[in-house]
Structures are given as C-alpha cells and as structure tokens.
C-alpha cells in the first residue's frame, strides 16, 4: 500500500497499460515508478473492470482501472 499525495488516500500502486505493453510488464513498470521497488514475478488472482472501476483524479483526469 502507498499513501497517495494527490488525494491523501491509501491505495495499491497502479496505472495504465501503454500501447504494446503486456499487463504483467505494466505491473512491474508502475510499481517501480511509484514505489522504487522491482517486481520479479506477477501472479494474477483476479482482474476487475467495468463501471465500478471508474475514478476521477483531483486534477480532473478520468480513468477506468483494470
């Protein structure tokens, strides 16, 4: 968990998949960018998507987490 500076909530590291990038590589990149930690292995236990994953950042950016 990380304490976010944009909304002051606790959350897991996350981000967006870049064009041509696998979801596994996205996890590794985002965790490194946001925490400085290197992820060696990724094992998914579930993937969440859809309207319930909609979020608007304090700066107005809107995303759908997956």
């Amino acid at each position: 968990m990380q304490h976010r500076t944009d909304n002051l909530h606790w959350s897991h590291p996350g981000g967006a998949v870049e064009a041509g990038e696998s979801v596994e590589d996205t996890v590794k990149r985002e965790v490194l960018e946001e925490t400085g930690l290197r992820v060696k292995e990724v094992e998914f236990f579930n993937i969440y998507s859809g309207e319930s994953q909609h979020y608007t950042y304090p700066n107005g950016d809107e995303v759908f987490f997956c």
Side-chain angles (χ1 to χ4, degrees):
M1 298 293 288
Q2 64 180 12
H3 193 233
R4 298 185 60 90
T5 58
D6 59 351
N7 61 18
L8 303 179
H9 292 112
W10 287 92
S11 70
H12 55 76
V17 178
E18 294 181 357
E21 185 177 46
S22 71
V23 175
E24 292 85 355
D25 286 342
T26 301
V27 169
K28 293 175 182 180
R29 177 181 53 77
E30 289 289 349
V31 170
L32 179 61
E33 287 176 0
E34 296 186 18
T35 69
L37 299 172
R38 293 191 184 276
V39 174
K40 292 184 180 183
E41 294 182 31
V42 176
E43 181 179 334
F44 291 108
F45 57 91
N46 205 348
I47 295 177
Y48 303 93
S49 65
E51 278 296 320
S52 66
Q53 302 304 306
H54 179 259
Y55 182 76
T56 303
Y57 286 97
N59 68 0
D61 288 351
E62 292 187 57
V63 296
F64 283 89
F65 294 111
C66 62

